[in-house]
Amino acid sequence: MRRPLIVGNWKMNKTASEAAAFIRDLRERVPASPHAEVVLAPPFTAIESARNALGPSSYFSLGAQNVHWETHGAFTGEVSAPMLCDLGCRYVIVGHSERRALFGERDEHIQMKVRAALRHGLSPILCVGESLVHREAGRTESVVTAQLSGTLEGLTTQDLATVTIAYEPVWAIGTGRAATTEQAVTVHRSIRLFMETGWDSKTASAIRILYGGSVTPQNIESLLASDSIDGALVGGACLDPDSFATIIEFAQTARA
Ligand code: PEP
């Protein structure tokens, strides 16, 4: 059984001191549970204070929102996988649609990022998803499949054991218009089929596939009621401790 995973993508929100205060609040609201995993992905500048506020052996894991594929060098403004590992990150989000749309990231870059993360023991959370134009043209599956093959091609089954896929329809991100559970399940099934065809059924049934796009305390229960949806990548609702704690609580009971 795949353990539900909830990832909070803070995007460009919270200073280092705001991060520490937020985490102290969240820790009081969320009990540890073996039934779900939780990752916090603050901006780079708040990772260290987040780590200090979490303390040693915290229930929460840390993730970053991006990574460069090289380890060091003349890449102004970039951050590498060893730097993130040194700060205590275990996860990294790659290929978020905002990175693709606003910063020109293409599948070839994302593939290098996935590989760099894996080389250094970071677990990549790979985002894929179609635009509204693609959905309305009936191209959802072909777009998502092309993103998967462009970023995962050549990875071994062993590599894939630590990869998580986040299906995030672009039209649902930050819009308040979440996909229905049925829409998400249809795409999740096609992703799992793609993994089975490209690798094997063991890999396909083990990989976690999250849904992301306007997840809230109101819709999380329905999403997690499907055994095709293994958790959520949460943007806006993860910034509010009450909302995020409620989302986590649903995940902790969904497959308990
Ligand atoms: C995201 O940033 O990945 C996201 C899903 O944002 P939101 O939950 O705000 O739609």
Side-chain angles (χ1 to χ4, degrees), residues 98-132:
E98 287 154 15
R99 303 266 353 140
R100 293 177 190 257
L102 304 174
F103 302 100
E105 278 191 20
R106 296 194 304 271
D107 286 340
E108 66 215 67
H109 304 125
I110 298 160
Q111 181 182 51
M112 290 192 283
K113 291 177 181 214
V114 169
R115 286 168 179 260
L118 291 170
R119 264 198 310 278
H120 294 280
L122 279 172
S123 300
I125 299 165
L126 169 67
C127 302
V128 294
E130 81 289 1
S131 66
L132 190 57

Side-chain angles (χ1 to χ4, degrees), residues 3 23 55 77 82 107 143 193:
R3 198 152 64 118
I23 287 171
D107 286 340
V143 166
L193 188 60

Side-chain angles (χ1 to χ4, degrees), residues 10-20 41-51 63-65 79 84 87:
W10 295 15
K11 309 196 187 191
M12 196 172 73
N13 291 293
K14 299 193 193 294
T15 62
S17 37
E18 287 166 350
F44 293 135
T45 48
I47 294 175
E48 186 162 19
S49 80
R51 182 195 202 177
Q65 300 173 21
V79 171
L84 296 176
L87 282 174

Side-chain angles (χ1 to χ4, degrees), residues 9 11 96 98 168 172-175 212-215 233-237:
N9 175 15
K11 309 196 187 191
H96 191 281
E98 287 154 15
E168 297 210 301
I173 297 177
T175 59
S214 297
V215 169
L233 178 47
V234 186

Side-chain angles (χ1 to χ4, degrees), residues 25-225:
D25 186 345
L26 192 67
R27 282 182 59 187
E28 281 180 15
R29 293 166 191 261
V30 178
S33 160
H35 301 298
E37 230 184 303
V38 184
V39 175
L40 307 177
F44 293 135
T45 48
I47 294 175
E48 186 162 19
S49 80
R51 182 195 202 177
N52 292 338
L54 287 171
S57 68
S58 168
Y59 171 58
F60 300 92
S61 301
L62 276 175
Q65 300 173 21
N66 190 19
V67 65
H68 194 266
W69 50 86
E70 294 292 344
T71 53
H72 62 277
F75 302 100
T76 302
E78 294 292 326
V79 171
S80 73
M83 294 171 183
L84 296 176
C85 292
D86 189 53
L87 282 174
C89 289
R90 288 186 45 215
Y91 289 85
V92 62
I93 298 169
V94 288
H96 191 281
S97 69
E98 287 154 15
R99 303 266 353 140
R100 293 177 190 257
L102 304 174
F103 302 100
E105 278 191 20
R106 296 194 304 271
D107 286 340
E108 66 215 67
H109 304 125
I110 298 160
Q111 181 182 51
M112 290 192 283
K113 291 177 181 214
V114 169
R115 286 168 179 260
L118 291 170
R119 264 198 310 278
H120 294 280
L122 279 172
S123 300
I125 299 165
L126 169 67
C127 302
V128 294
E130 81 289 1
S131 66
L132 190 57
V133 171
H134 286 142
R135 171 162 285 266
E136 286 174 346
R139 294 188 50 210
T140 298
E141 275 188 39
S142 63
V143 166
V144 168
T145 300
Q147 290 171 338
L148 290 170
S149 56
T151 51
L152 297 180
E153 202 168 41
L155 295 188
T156 64
T157 54
Q158 202 185 337
D159 291 330
L160 289 166
T162 61
V163 173
T164 297
I165 296 169
Y167 166 57
E168 297 210 301
V170 178
W171 48 271
I173 297 177
T175 59
R177 181 187 165 193
T180 62
T181 301
E182 294 68 31
Q183 285 172 320
V185 165
T186 303
V187 181
H188 283 219
R189 287 196 179 136
S190 77
I191 292 173
R192 222 173 277 289
L193 188 60
F194 172 84
M195 301 306 296
E196 187 171 343
T197 313
W199 286 270
D200 53 44
S201 57
K202 197 167 158 223
T203 303
S205 63
I207 199 159
R208 283 193 289 205
I209 307 176
L210 314 182
Y211 166 77
S214 297
V215 169
T216 63
Q218 287 72 41
N219 59 24
I220 187 71
E221 189 173 14
S222 149
L223 290 160
L224 294 180

